[in-house]
Amino acid sequence: MEFNCSSPTTIPVVSTFASPFDTSAAVNGSDSTSTRKPISLWPGMYHSPVTNALWEAKSQIFERLLDPPKDAPPQSELLTKTPSQSRTSILYNLSSDYILREQYRDPWNEVRIGKLLEDLDALAGTISVKHCSDDDSTTRPLLLVTASVDKIVLKKPISVDIDLKIVGSVIWVGRSSIEIQLEVIQSTKENTDVSDSVALTANFIFVARDSKTGKAAPVNRLSPETEREKFLFEEAEARSKLRKRKRVDRREFEHGEINRLEALLAEGRIFCDMPALAGRDSILLKDTHLENALICQPQQRNIHGRIFGGFLMHRAFELAFSTAYAFAGLVPCFLEVDHVDFLRPVDVGDFLRLKSCVLYTELENPDQPLINVEVVAHVTRPEIRTSEVSNTFYFTFSVRPEAKATKNGFKIRNVVPATEEEARRILERMDAEMLTRKSQ
C-alpha cells in the first residue's frame, strides 16, 4: 500500500538534522530571506522530527497557545465536531530519508519504541487541540494535558527501512475528557491489507483545564458519523466506565484479599528468613530494581511550560527495557504499554527519579513468557525533603525468539514479594489487567 503525502490531512515528517551530503537545503525548509523565526527556535517546544512537522502544519493554532490573549473570556458556546475534523496523519519517509532513518533506528534495525512513544503523545496532543479549538482568537484556549494512556499494543515489529504512517482522531469525549485513538501503519508489497498493516494501536486520555483558573473545563461535543466511528465511541464509553470501576475496586481491595496476600508472601518469607532453602526458580521483587535520575531541562518542556509527557514515557520505556533485559538475561521484546498514569505535572528544574522493578511474570506459555515491569517516577525536592509520585508506567515484555534460541536451558524466574506493600501492588496490577482483558 502506498502512502499519499499530498493529502491535506497527511503531514510529512523529515529529519531534524541537515544531511552531511546535502548543503543546499535550508533549515526547516525556509529560505535565508524569510523573517519568520524557524520552528526549531520557538520556545516551549519539545523537538523531534514529528513535533517539528506538527508545529509547522498547525503553526497558527499553536502560536495562539504560546501567546494567549490577556484576560480573554472562555469559550462561550460548545461546538459539535465529528471525528473526521480532528483526524490527522503523519508520514515517515523512512525508505528514502537516510537521516530520518538513522534518528529512529534501534540496534535490531527496527524503529525505536521510546521515540515512537514521544511521537504518539505529540500527535495525540495536536488532535486534542484541534478538537477543542473554537477558531475564535478572542477567547482563551484550554489547557490540555495527558491524563493517562489506556493501552499501547505492538501487533508486529516495525521495520526502520519501510515508510511508516500514524493516523489518529478523537473517538470519545466526556464532560472535560477526551480519548484519542492512534494507529501506526506499515505496509509491504506482500501485505496490502489495511487491517494486517496496523503495527501498533494506542489510546490516550486527555483532560481539559481552564488556562486561567486551572479548573476542569467542558470540551466540544463529538458526533460520530460512520458505523466504525459509532463502534469506537461505544467501546471508549465502556472503557470509561471500566476505569471508574477500577477505582472503586481499588478502594474495596482490603475485603476478602487476605488469603491471596498470604499466598504471595509465603515464598518471600522463605527468601528473607531461610535464604539457603529458597527456590532457585524465584527471585525477590526488590532484587530486580533499577533506578536512574535526571534534572528536567527547559528543552524538554511543552507549550504550557511543563515537561513533555512523551519525553517522560520515552525515559520510562528505556529504563523498563533495561530492567527486563537484566532480569531475563536476553534481549527483551516489547509487547505493550499496559497503562500510564499522569498524576501530577513535572516542571522544568524538577529532580526526577525513575524507579523500576519486575512486578510479576506470567509463565503459562513457555514459548512466550511475559515480564511485567513497573516504573514509578518521583519528583524529589531535597531542599524541603519531599518526594511525590508524578507518573506510574506499566510495560509488558517477552523475549526475542532469536535470542532465546542462542541460550540453552533458558528459563524466566518467578518474582515474589518480601513485604505486604509489594504484594498489594502485584495483586492490584493483576486484577486491573484481568478486568481489562475481560472487557476486550
Side-chain angles (χ1 to χ4, degrees), residues 316-361:
F317 173 83
E318 299 288 352
L319 181 60
F321 185 95
S322 301
T323 303
Y325 199 171
F327 172 75
L330 292 174
V331 177
C333 172
F334 168 72
L335 296 180
E336 61 186 37
V337 178
D338 299 312
H339 189 77
V340 178
D341 282 316
F342 292 82
L343 303 174
R344 56 148 290 166
V346 180
D347 294 317
V348 173
D350 277 350
F351 173 26
L352 193 68
R353 297 176 66 194
L354 294 166
K355 301 178 181 180
S356 68
C357 68
V358 177
L359 201 57
Y360 64 95
T361 56

mmCIF file of all heavy atoms in Angstrom, residues 316-361:
data_model
loop_
_atom_site.group_PDB
_atom_site.id
_atom_site.type_symbol
_atom_site.label_atom_id
_atom_site.label_comp_id
_atom_site.label_asym_id
_atom_site.label_seq_id
_atom_site.Cartn_x
_atom_site.Cartn_y
_atom_site.Cartn_z
ATOM 1 N N ALA A 316 10.953 6.405 30.657
ATOM 2 C CA ALA A 316 10.441 5.257 31.408
ATOM 3 C C ALA A 316 10.575 3.970 30.607
ATOM 4 O O ALA A 316 10.928 2.915 31.162
ATOM 5 C CB ALA A 316 8.975 5.490 31.781
ATOM 6 N N PHE A 317 10.317 4.042 29.304
ATOM 7 C CA PHE A 317 10.444 2.855 28.467
ATOM 8 C C PHE A 317 11.883 2.345 28.446
ATOM 9 O O PHE A 317 12.118 1.130 28.549
ATOM 10 C CB PHE A 317 9.980 3.143 27.038
ATOM 11 C CG PHE A 317 10.253 1.997 26.094
ATOM 12 C CD1 PHE A 317 9.383 0.920 26.019
ATOM 13 C CD2 PHE A 317 11.398 1.969 25.306
ATOM 14 C CE1 PHE A 317 9.645 -0.152 25.180
ATOM 15 C CE2 PHE A 317 11.673 0.909 24.466
ATOM 16 C CZ PHE A 317 10.790 -0.156 24.403
ATOM 17 N N GLU A 318 12.841 3.248 28.289
ATOM 18 C CA GLU A 318 14.249 2.831 28.241
ATOM 19 C C GLU A 318 14.660 2.135 29.533
ATOM 20 O O GLU A 318 15.381 1.131 29.512
ATOM 21 C CB GLU A 318 15.148 4.055 27.986
ATOM 22 C CG GLU A 318 14.890 4.791 26.677
ATOM 23 C CD GLU A 318 15.348 4.019 25.456
ATOM 24 O OE1 GLU A 318 16.004 2.973 25.619
ATOM 25 O OE2 GLU A 318 15.041 4.452 24.331
ATOM 26 N N LEU A 319 14.185 2.650 30.683
ATOM 27 C CA LEU A 319 14.510 2.014 31.960
ATOM 28 C C LEU A 319 13.804 0.668 32.088
ATOM 29 O O LEU A 319 14.396 -0.312 32.570
ATOM 30 C CB LEU A 319 14.111 2.938 33.117
ATOM 31 C CG LEU A 319 14.415 2.419 34.526
ATOM 32 C CD1 LEU A 319 15.910 2.163 34.705
ATOM 33 C CD2 LEU A 319 13.913 3.401 35.585
ATOM 34 N N ALA A 320 12.533 0.586 31.661
ATOM 35 C CA ALA A 320 11.800 -0.681 31.720
ATOM 36 C C ALA A 320 12.458 -1.736 30.835
ATOM 37 O O ALA A 320 12.576 -2.910 31.226
ATOM 38 C CB ALA A 320 10.353 -0.465 31.288
ATOM 39 N N PHE A 321 12.885 -1.337 29.644
ATOM 40 C CA PHE A 321 13.568 -2.256 28.735
ATOM 41 C C PHE A 321 14.842 -2.800 29.382
ATOM 42 O O PHE A 321 15.118 -4.008 29.342
ATOM 43 C CB PHE A 321 13.898 -1.530 27.433
ATOM 44 C CG PHE A 321 14.491 -2.401 26.353
ATOM 45 C CD1 PHE A 321 13.683 -2.971 25.378
ATOM 46 C CD2 PHE A 321 15.859 -2.649 26.293
ATOM 47 C CE1 PHE A 321 14.216 -3.773 24.381
ATOM 48 C CE2 PHE A 321 16.402 -3.443 25.313
ATOM 49 C CZ PHE A 321 15.581 -4.013 24.352
ATOM 50 N N SER A 322 15.612 -1.898 29.998
ATOM 51 C CA SER A 322 16.863 -2.308 30.660
ATOM 52 C C SER A 322 16.575 -3.248 31.829
ATOM 53 O O SER A 322 17.323 -4.209 32.064
ATOM 54 C CB SER A 322 17.614 -1.068 31.158
ATOM 55 O OG SER A 322 17.917 -0.196 30.088
ATOM 56 N N THR A 323 15.488 -2.990 32.553
ATOM 57 C CA THR A 323 15.109 -3.845 33.683
ATOM 58 C C THR A 323 14.759 -5.248 33.210
ATOM 59 O O THR A 323 15.205 -6.248 33.793
ATOM 60 C CB THR A 323 13.914 -3.225 34.435
ATOM 61 O OG1 THR A 323 14.259 -1.898 34.853
ATOM 62 C CG2 THR A 323 13.532 -4.060 35.640
ATOM 63 N N ALA A 324 13.960 -5.343 32.139
ATOM 64 C CA ALA A 324 13.596 -6.649 31.585
ATOM 65 C C ALA A 324 14.824 -7.368 31.035
ATOM 66 O O ALA A 324 14.946 -8.598 31.168
ATOM 67 C CB ALA A 324 12.547 -6.475 30.490
ATOM 68 N N TYR A 325 15.745 -6.624 30.443
ATOM 69 C CA TYR A 325 16.981 -7.188 29.885
ATOM 70 C C TYR A 325 17.835 -7.798 31.005
ATOM 71 O O TYR A 325 18.297 -8.948 30.912
ATOM 72 C CB TYR A 325 17.744 -6.078 29.165
ATOM 73 C CG TYR A 325 18.792 -6.527 28.171
ATOM 74 C CD1 TYR A 325 19.405 -5.592 27.333
ATOM 75 C CD2 TYR A 325 19.193 -7.854 28.054
ATOM 76 C CE1 TYR A 325 20.363 -5.973 26.402
ATOM 77 C CE2 TYR A 325 20.154 -8.243 27.136
ATOM 78 C CZ TYR A 325 20.736 -7.297 26.313
ATOM 79 O OH TYR A 325 21.689 -7.669 25.393
ATOM 80 N N ALA A 326 18.042 -7.015 32.077
ATOM 81 C CA ALA A 326 18.866 -7.503 33.192
ATOM 82 C C ALA A 326 18.201 -8.681 33.898
ATOM 83 O O ALA A 326 18.886 -9.581 34.394
ATOM 84 C CB ALA A 326 19.103 -6.362 34.184
ATOM 85 N N PHE A 327 16.882 -8.707 33.940
ATOM 86 C CA PHE A 327 16.150 -9.774 34.614
ATOM 87 C C PHE A 327 16.195 -11.078 33.810
ATOM 88 O O PHE A 327 16.462 -12.155 34.356
ATOM 89 C CB PHE A 327 14.704 -9.348 34.829
ATOM 90 C CG PHE A 327 13.797 -10.426 35.337
ATOM 91 C CD1 PHE A 327 13.845 -10.831 36.665
ATOM 92 C CD2 PHE A 327 12.897 -11.044 34.485
ATOM 93 C CE1 PHE A 327 13.008 -11.833 37.138
ATOM 94 C CE2 PHE A 327 12.052 -12.042 34.948
ATOM 95 C CZ PHE A 327 12.108 -12.443 36.280
ATOM 96 N N ALA A 328 15.929 -10.986 32.502
ATOM 97 C CA ALA A 328 15.831 -12.192 31.670
ATOM 98 C C ALA A 328 17.193 -12.710 31.226
ATOM 99 O O ALA A 328 17.349 -13.902 30.952
ATOM 100 C CB ALA A 328 14.959 -11.915 30.451
ATOM 101 N N GLY A 329 18.169 -11.824 31.134
ATOM 102 C CA GLY A 329 19.481 -12.237 30.640
ATOM 103 C C GLY A 329 19.526 -12.347 29.134
ATOM 104 O O GLY A 329 20.533 -12.786 28.573
ATOM 105 N N LEU A 330 18.451 -11.935 28.455
ATOM 106 C CA LEU A 330 18.380 -11.926 26.995
ATOM 107 C C LEU A 330 17.673 -10.651 26.551
ATOM 108 O O LEU A 330 16.955 -10.015 27.329
ATOM 109 C CB LEU A 330 17.601 -13.146 26.481
ATOM 110 C CG LEU A 330 18.266 -14.524 26.670
ATOM 111 C CD1 LEU A 330 17.307 -15.627 26.235
ATOM 112 C CD2 LEU A 330 19.557 -14.615 25.876
ATOM 113 N N VAL A 331 17.866 -10.297 25.281
ATOM 114 C CA VAL A 331 17.248 -9.089 24.753
ATOM 115 C C VAL A 331 15.725 -9.225 24.803
ATOM 116 O O VAL A 331 15.167 -10.174 24.239
ATOM 117 C CB VAL A 331 17.690 -8.828 23.299
ATOM 118 C CG1 VAL A 331 16.963 -7.598 22.734
ATOM 119 C CG2 VAL A 331 19.191 -8.625 23.237
ATOM 120 N N PRO A 332 15.034 -8.309 25.489
ATOM 121 C CA PRO A 332 13.570 -8.412 25.571
ATOM 122 C C PRO A 332 12.888 -7.926 24.300
ATOM 123 O O PRO A 332 13.467 -7.188 23.504
ATOM 124 C CB PRO A 332 13.217 -7.511 26.761
ATOM 125 C CG PRO A 332 14.319 -6.517 26.810
ATOM 126 C CD PRO A 332 15.560 -7.204 26.301
ATOM 127 N N CYS A 333 11.649 -8.344 24.150
ATOM 128 C CA CYS A 333 10.811 -7.939 23.028
ATOM 129 C C CYS A 333 9.614 -7.182 23.595
ATOM 130 O O CYS A 333 8.846 -7.739 24.387
ATOM 131 C CB CYS A 333 10.368 -9.174 22.240
ATOM 132 S SG CYS A 333 9.150 -8.841 20.962
ATOM 133 N N PHE A 334 9.463 -5.915 23.236
ATOM 134 C CA PHE A 334 8.353 -5.114 23.744
ATOM 135 C C PHE A 334 7.024 -5.617 23.175
ATOM 136 O O PHE A 334 6.910 -5.889 21.977
ATOM 137 C CB PHE A 334 8.549 -3.643 23.358
ATOM 138 C CG PHE A 334 7.340 -2.788 23.582
ATOM 139 C CD1 PHE A 334 6.935 -2.448 24.866
ATOM 140 C CD2 PHE A 334 6.581 -2.339 22.508
ATOM 141 C CE1 PHE A 334 5.805 -1.672 25.079
ATOM 142 C CE2 PHE A 334 5.458 -1.561 22.705
ATOM 143 C CZ PHE A 334 5.074 -1.222 23.988
ATOM 144 N N LEU A 335 6.018 -5.726 24.043
ATOM 145 C CA LEU A 335 4.686 -6.147 23.615
ATOM 146 C C LEU A 335 3.655 -5.038 23.773
ATOM 147 O O LEU A 335 2.903 -4.758 22.846
ATOM 148 C CB LEU A 335 4.224 -7.377 24.408
ATOM 149 C CG LEU A 335 5.045 -8.658 24.219
ATOM 150 C CD1 LEU A 335 4.456 -9.776 25.067
ATOM 151 C CD2 LEU A 335 5.080 -9.065 22.749
ATOM 152 N N GLU A 336 3.607 -4.403 24.961
ATOM 153 C CA GLU A 336 2.594 -3.369 25.149
ATOM 154 C C GLU A 336 2.899 -2.481 26.345
ATOM 155 O O GLU A 336 3.640 -2.864 27.261
ATOM 156 C CB GLU A 336 1.203 -3.979 25.308
ATOM 157 C CG GLU A 336 1.049 -4.899 26.508
ATOM 158 C CD GLU A 336 -0.310 -5.586 26.548
ATOM 159 O OE1 GLU A 336 -0.823 -5.941 25.473
ATOM 160 O OE2 GLU A 336 -0.854 -5.743 27.648
ATOM 161 N N VAL A 337 2.342 -1.269 26.283
ATOM 162 C CA VAL A 337 2.238 -0.416 27.469
ATOM 163 C C VAL A 337 0.877 -0.727 28.068
ATOM 164 O O VAL A 337 -0.156 -0.496 27.441
ATOM 165 C CB VAL A 337 2.316 1.080 27.103
ATOM 166 C CG1 VAL A 337 2.154 1.935 28.352
ATOM 167 C CG2 VAL A 337 3.633 1.397 26.417
ATOM 168 N N ASP A 338 0.855 -1.297 29.262
ATOM 169 C CA ASP A 338 -0.415 -1.692 29.873
ATOM 170 C C ASP A 338 -1.209 -0.488 30.338
ATOM 171 O O ASP A 338 -2.411 -0.406 30.140
ATOM 172 C CB ASP A 338 -0.163 -2.630 31.059
ATOM 173 C CG ASP A 338 0.535 -3.904 30.627
ATOM 174 O OD1 ASP A 338 0.092 -4.505 29.645
ATOM 175 O OD2 ASP A 338 1.526 -4.281 31.266
ATOM 176 N N HIS A 339 -0.525 0.446 30.973
ATOM 177 C CA HIS A 339 -1.238 1.616 31.498
ATOM 178 C C HIS A 339 -0.205 2.651 31.935
ATOM 179 O O HIS A 339 0.890 2.308 32.400
ATOM 180 C CB HIS A 339 -2.118 1.234 32.691
ATOM 181 C CG HIS A 339 -3.029 2.330 33.135
ATOM 182 N ND1 HIS A 339 -4.185 2.650 32.464
ATOM 183 C CD2 HIS A 339 -2.949 3.205 34.164
ATOM 184 C CE1 HIS A 339 -4.783 3.662 33.066
ATOM 185 N NE2 HIS A 339 -4.055 4.017 34.099
ATOM 186 N N VAL A 340 -0.563 3.925 31.775
ATOM 187 C CA VAL A 340 0.270 5.024 32.265
ATOM 188 C C VAL A 340 -0.637 6.018 32.971
ATOM 189 O O VAL A 340 -1.691 6.395 32.434
ATOM 190 C CB VAL A 340 1.020 5.745 31.116
ATOM 191 C CG1 VAL A 340 1.844 6.912 31.673
ATOM 192 C CG2 VAL A 340 1.921 4.778 30.360
ATOM 193 N N ASP A 341 -0.254 6.431 34.169
ATOM 194 C CA ASP A 341 -0.975 7.475 34.892
ATOM 195 C C ASP A 341 -0.099 8.720 34.986
ATOM 196 O O ASP A 341 1.080 8.633 35.365
ATOM 197 C CB ASP A 341 -1.338 7.013 36.314
ATOM 198 C CG ASP A 341 -2.544 6.090 36.327
ATOM 199 O OD1 ASP A 341 -3.527 6.406 35.629
ATOM 200 O OD2 ASP A 341 -2.494 5.070 37.027
ATOM 201 N N PHE A 342 -0.667 9.877 34.631
ATOM 202 C CA PHE A 342 -0.006 11.160 34.827
ATOM 203 C C PHE A 342 -0.682 11.818 36.027
ATOM 204 O O PHE A 342 -1.745 12.428 35.912
ATOM 205 C CB PHE A 342 -0.131 12.022 33.569
ATOM 206 C CG PHE A 342 0.652 11.495 32.398
ATOM 207 C CD1 PHE A 342 0.141 10.485 31.597
ATOM 208 C CD2 PHE A 342 1.911 11.994 32.107
ATOM 209 C CE1 PHE A 342 0.853 9.984 30.523
ATOM 210 C CE2 PHE A 342 2.638 11.503 31.034
ATOM 211 C CZ PHE A 342 2.117 10.495 30.246
ATOM 212 N N LEU A 343 -0.080 11.648 37.202
ATOM 213 C CA LEU A 343 -0.726 12.031 38.454
ATOM 214 C C LEU A 343 -0.519 13.494 38.808
ATOM 215 O O LEU A 343 -1.378 14.115 39.427
ATOM 216 C CB LEU A 343 -0.205 11.142 39.590
ATOM 217 C CG LEU A 343 -0.402 9.631 39.361
ATOM 218 C CD1 LEU A 343 0.282 8.837 40.465
ATOM 219 C CD2 LEU A 343 -1.882 9.287 39.285
ATOM 220 N N ARG A 344 0.624 14.039 38.432
ATOM 221 C CA ARG A 344 0.896 15.449 38.694
ATOM 222 C C ARG A 344 1.891 15.951 37.652
ATOM 223 O O ARG A 344 2.688 15.180 37.111
ATOM 224 C CB ARG A 344 1.443 15.666 40.103
ATOM 225 C CG ARG A 344 2.683 14.892 40.467
ATOM 226 C CD ARG A 344 3.571 15.649 41.433
ATOM 227 N NE ARG A 344 4.176 16.794 40.753
ATOM 228 C CZ ARG A 344 4.783 17.805 41.380
ATOM 229 N NH1 ARG A 344 4.853 17.813 42.685
ATOM 230 N NH2 ARG A 344 5.328 18.802 40.706
ATOM 231 N N PRO A 345 1.871 17.248 37.347
ATOM 232 C CA PRO A 345 2.779 17.764 36.321
ATOM 233 C C PRO A 345 4.232 17.747 36.796
ATOM 234 O O PRO A 345 4.517 17.800 37.996
ATOM 235 C CB PRO A 345 2.283 19.193 36.091
ATOM 236 C CG PRO A 345 1.573 19.563 37.351
ATOM 237 C CD PRO A 345 0.963 18.295 37.877
ATOM 238 N N VAL A 346 5.115 17.660 35.812
ATOM 239 C CA VAL A 346 6.551 17.734 36.083
ATOM 240 C C VAL A 346 7.053 19.036 35.469
ATOM 241 O O VAL A 346 6.794 19.323 34.303
ATOM 242 C CB VAL A 346 7.293 16.530 35.474
ATOM 243 C CG1 VAL A 346 8.794 16.624 35.767
ATOM 244 C CG2 VAL A 346 6.725 15.225 36.025
ATOM 245 N N ASP A 347 7.747 19.843 36.278
ATOM 246 C CA ASP A 347 8.160 21.173 35.845
ATOM 247 C C ASP A 347 9.639 21.216 35.489
ATOM 248 O O ASP A 347 10.439 20.355 35.897
ATOM 249 C CB ASP A 347 7.876 22.199 36.950
ATOM 250 C CG ASP A 347 6.382 22.382 37.198
ATOM 251 O OD1 ASP A 347 5.637 22.465 36.205
ATOM 252 O OD2 ASP A 347 5.975 22.420 38.373
ATOM 253 N N VAL A 348 9.993 22.245 34.727
ATOM 254 C CA VAL A 348 11.403 22.495 34.409
ATOM 255 C C VAL A 348 12.174 22.697 35.708
ATOM 256 O O VAL A 348 11.724 23.419 36.611
ATOM 257 C CB VAL A 348 11.531 23.744 33.502
ATOM 258 C CG1 VAL A 348 12.997 24.115 33.305
ATOM 259 C CG2 VAL A 348 10.865 23.489 32.152
ATOM 260 N N GLY A 349 13.319 22.046 35.819
ATOM 261 C CA GLY A 349 14.147 22.152 37.022
ATOM 262 C C GLY A 349 13.866 21.091 38.055
ATOM 263 O O GLY A 349 14.619 20.962 39.032
ATOM 264 N N ASP A 350 12.779 20.321 37.876
ATOM 265 C CA ASP A 350 12.472 19.262 38.840
ATOM 266 C C ASP A 350 13.535 18.168 38.815
ATOM 267 O O ASP A 350 14.085 17.827 37.763
ATOM 268 C CB ASP A 350 11.109 18.638 38.534
ATOM 269 C CG ASP A 350 9.943 19.438 39.100
ATOM 270 O OD1 ASP A 350 10.200 20.374 39.892
ATOM 271 O OD2 ASP A 350 8.783 19.147 38.748
ATOM 272 N N PHE A 351 13.814 17.640 39.999
ATOM 273 C CA PHE A 351 14.715 16.492 40.149
ATOM 274 C C PHE A 351 13.832 15.249 40.068
ATOM 275 O O PHE A 351 13.041 14.978 40.967
ATOM 276 C CB PHE A 351 15.436 16.608 41.496
ATOM 277 C CG PHE A 351 16.277 15.412 41.872
ATOM 278 C CD1 PHE A 351 16.818 14.566 40.917
ATOM 279 C CD2 PHE A 351 16.544 15.130 43.210
ATOM 280 C CE1 PHE A 351 17.591 13.469 41.275
ATOM 281 C CE2 PHE A 351 17.317 14.045 43.585
ATOM 282 C CZ PHE A 351 17.834 13.216 42.609
ATOM 283 N N LEU A 352 13.953 14.508 38.978
ATOM 284 C CA LEU A 352 13.078 13.371 38.725
ATOM 285 C C LEU A 352 13.844 12.067 38.908
ATOM 286 O O LEU A 352 14.905 11.868 38.320
ATOM 287 C CB LEU A 352 12.533 13.444 37.292
ATOM 288 C CG LEU A 352 11.359 12.517 36.959
ATOM 289 C CD1 LEU A 352 10.100 12.954 37.706
ATOM 290 C CD2 LEU A 352 11.097 12.505 35.457
ATOM 291 N N ARG A 353 13.283 11.188 39.747
ATOM 292 C CA ARG A 353 13.866 9.854 39.950
ATOM 293 C C ARG A 353 12.919 8.811 39.374
ATOM 294 O O ARG A 353 11.723 8.816 39.657
ATOM 295 C CB ARG A 353 14.084 9.597 41.442
ATOM 296 C CG ARG A 353 15.069 10.544 42.094
ATOM 297 C CD ARG A 353 15.160 10.283 43.583
ATOM 298 N NE ARG A 353 15.724 8.974 43.879
ATOM 299 C CZ ARG A 353 15.669 8.397 45.085
ATOM 300 N NH1 ARG A 353 15.055 9.009 46.070
ATOM 301 N NH2 ARG A 353 16.205 7.218 45.284
ATOM 302 N N LEU A 354 13.457 7.922 38.561
ATOM 303 C CA LEU A 354 12.681 6.839 37.959
ATOM 304 C C LEU A 354 13.134 5.524 38.580
ATOM 305 O O LEU A 354 14.318 5.179 38.531
ATOM 306 C CB LEU A 354 12.896 6.808 36.437
ATOM 307 C CG LEU A 354 12.376 8.018 35.657
ATOM 308 C CD1 LEU A 354 12.951 8.034 34.257
ATOM 309 C CD2 LEU A 354 10.863 8.008 35.599
ATOM 310 N N LYS A 355 12.183 4.801 39.179
ATOM 311 C CA LYS A 355 12.490 3.524 39.826
ATOM 312 C C LYS A 355 11.694 2.422 39.137
ATOM 313 O O LYS A 355 10.479 2.560 38.946
ATOM 314 C CB LYS A 355 12.125 3.575 41.311
ATOM 315 C CG LYS A 355 12.845 4.677 42.089
ATOM 316 C CD LYS A 355 12.402 4.687 43.550
ATOM 317 C CE LYS A 355 13.082 5.795 44.331
ATOM 318 N NZ LYS A 355 12.649 5.809 45.745
ATOM 319 N N SER A 356 12.356 1.333 38.800
ATOM 320 C CA SER A 356 11.680 0.250 38.089
ATOM 321 C C SER A 356 11.894 -1.076 38.805
ATOM 322 O O SER A 356 12.839 -1.242 39.584
ATOM 323 C CB SER A 356 12.208 0.143 36.652
ATOM 324 O OG SER A 356 13.552 -0.301 36.660
ATOM 325 N N CYS A 357 11.006 -2.014 38.520
ATOM 326 C CA CYS A 357 11.167 -3.378 39.016
ATOM 327 C C CYS A 357 10.324 -4.299 38.149
ATOM 328 O O CYS A 357 9.386 -3.860 37.470
ATOM 329 C CB CYS A 357 10.729 -3.507 40.481
ATOM 330 S SG CYS A 357 8.953 -3.289 40.722
ATOM 331 N N VAL A 358 10.666 -5.575 38.155
ATOM 332 C CA VAL A 358 9.790 -6.582 37.553
ATOM 333 C C VAL A 358 8.707 -6.871 38.579
ATOM 334 O O VAL A 358 8.989 -7.380 39.667
ATOM 335 C CB VAL A 358 10.563 -7.857 37.181
ATOM 336 C CG1 VAL A 358 9.601 -8.917 36.631
ATOM 337 C CG2 VAL A 358 11.651 -7.546 36.156
ATOM 338 N N LEU A 359 7.472 -6.520 38.257
ATOM 339 C CA LEU A 359 6.382 -6.653 39.224
ATOM 340 C C LEU A 359 5.917 -8.099 39.335
ATOM 341 O O LEU A 359 5.710 -8.625 40.424
ATOM 342 C CB LEU A 359 5.227 -5.743 38.822
ATOM 343 C CG LEU A 359 4.224 -5.363 39.904
ATOM 344 C CD1 LEU A 359 4.926 -4.695 41.086
ATOM 345 C CD2 LEU A 359 3.153 -4.438 39.338
ATOM 346 N N TYR A 360 5.738 -8.749 38.191
ATOM 347 C CA TYR A 360 5.400 -10.176 38.185
ATOM 348 C C TYR A 360 5.641 -10.738 36.795
ATOM 349 O O TYR A 360 5.825 -9.989 35.823
ATOM 350 C CB TYR A 360 3.948 -10.425 38.629
ATOM 351 C CG TYR A 360 2.879 -9.838 37.724
ATOM 352 C CD1 TYR A 360 2.276 -10.604 36.722
ATOM 353 C CD2 TYR A 360 2.443 -8.525 37.899
ATOM 354 C CE1 TYR A 360 1.292 -10.068 35.912
ATOM 355 C CE2 TYR A 360 1.457 -7.992 37.091
ATOM 356 C CZ TYR A 360 0.889 -8.760 36.099
ATOM 357 O OH TYR A 360 -0.086 -8.226 35.294
ATOM 358 N N THR A 361 5.679 -12.070 36.705
ATOM 359 C CA THR A 361 5.857 -12.743 35.425
ATOM 360 C C THR A 361 4.675 -13.679 35.180
ATOM 361 O O THR A 361 4.020 -14.133 36.117
ATOM 362 C CB THR A 361 7.167 -13.554 35.396
ATOM 363 O OG1 THR A 361 7.164 -14.472 36.505
ATOM 364 C CG2 THR A 361 8.380 -12.647 35.498
#
